[in-house]
Amino acid sequence: MSLPIGVLSLQGDFREHSQTLDSLGLENRNVRTPQELESVSGLIIPGGESTVIHKLAVAYDLYQPIKEKIASGFPVFGTCAGLIMLASEIIDGTSDQASFGGLDVSVRRNAFGNQLDSFEADLDFVGVEGVVHAAFIRAPIVERIGSEVEVLSQLPDGRVVGVRQNNALGISFHPEVTGENRIHALFAKTVRTAH
Ligand code: GLN
């Protein structure tokens, strides 16, 4: 069975996600229209700027369909801005910003802002053997976790940077920029199990 993975390609580093899926030999498609959304078995929401991704999703008639699909269990994987787009609550968002939902978490945008804009770290990640080398770029942090949410990864100081709830996976960092493809492989497994 063909289970193409969609990459929401409105803004941000969607090309790097396509390349990461290519490196795993996984069929993938850009998603920019409701028809393209209907043709995929799961969706990656890339890093970029969550306020812009939200605005463009509304403008491209994708906001409501994506939100509804996620609510009915469609597999999704958000990285950085994509994690913000999956959070049930956005802290430090703009007043008109909205997410798709999918993860019962509160996520703070630009959580490292005054401290460190961008940095890299080696992390443990549930379901991945060995360390994950992670790039954080104006990254969000998960500050509250609902009772149904599983923590997959934390910084050494305990701050949460990877979560899963049912078929929704969200991470604060960018595996697609460090040549790390094992979290994409984990998501592909979720897509296969869901279908
Ligand atoms: N700070 C960005 C936002 O709020 C996320 C940054 C990123 O995706 N690298 O959407």
Side-chain angles (χ1 to χ4, degrees):
M1 188 174 38
S2 151
L3 295 172
I5 294 177
V7 180
L8 186 64
S9 302
L10 302 174
Q11 190 266 339
D13 72 338
F14 50 87
R15 287 174 201 85
E16 285 78 1
H17 281 283
S18 305
Q19 285 159 5
T20 305
L21 293 168
D22 287 344
S23 78
L24 291 162
L26 292 166
E27 187 186 349
N28 61 90
R29 297 185 187 158
N30 296 114
V31 169
R32 293 191 184 90
T33 66
Q35 292 73 22
E36 286 166 348
L37 178 64
E38 282 313 311
S39 78
V40 295
S41 306
L43 187 67
I44 292 180
I45 306 173
E49 175 49 54
S50 55
T51 54
V52 178
I53 294 175
H54 166 245
K55 281 203 183 89
L56 291 175
V58 172
Y60 282 69
D61 293 326
L62 281 167
Y63 177 71
Q64 207 55 36
I66 292 176
K67 191 174 165 141
E68 283 164 17
K69 268 183 167 295
I70 294 174
S72 64
F74 188 67
V76 278
F77 173 26
T79 65
C80 203
L83 164 66
I84 298 168
M85 290 304 300
L86 296 178
S88 56
E89 187 194 9
I90 302 171
I91 303 167
D92 286 347
T94 58
S95 57
D96 58 348
Q97 175 171 15
S99 67
F100 298 125
L103 291 168
D104 179 17
V105 294
S106 304
V107 166
R108 184 178 299 279
R109 288 178 68 217
N110 303 320
F112 300 94
N114 302 326
Q115 217 177 319
L116 272 176
D117 207 25
S118 301
F119 61 98
E120 298 188 8
D122 287 330
L123 306 170
D124 289 328
F125 200 99
V126 174
V128 177
E129 295 259 331
V131 299
V132 166
H133 188 66
F136 292 82
I137 305 165
R138 297 187 313 286
I141 273 288
V142 180
E143 290 197 348
R144 180 195 61 85
I145 292 164
S147 57
E148 305 294 305
V149 176
E150 182 191 356
V151 173
L152 300 180
S153 191
Q154 288 166 277
L155 286 170
D157 65 9
R159 285 184 285 182
V160 173
V161 293
V163 288
R164 173 200 288 283
Q165 183 174 7
N166 302 319
N167 292 331
L169 178 63
I171 60 177
S172 300
F173 53 93
H174 291 269
E176 72 283 3
V177 305
T178 54
E180 170 61 69
N181 64 13
R182 294 171 296 170
I183 304 173
H184 288 70
L186 207 63
F187 177 60
K189 209 191 277 179
T190 302
V191 173
R192 283 194 295 274
T193 310
H195 284 84

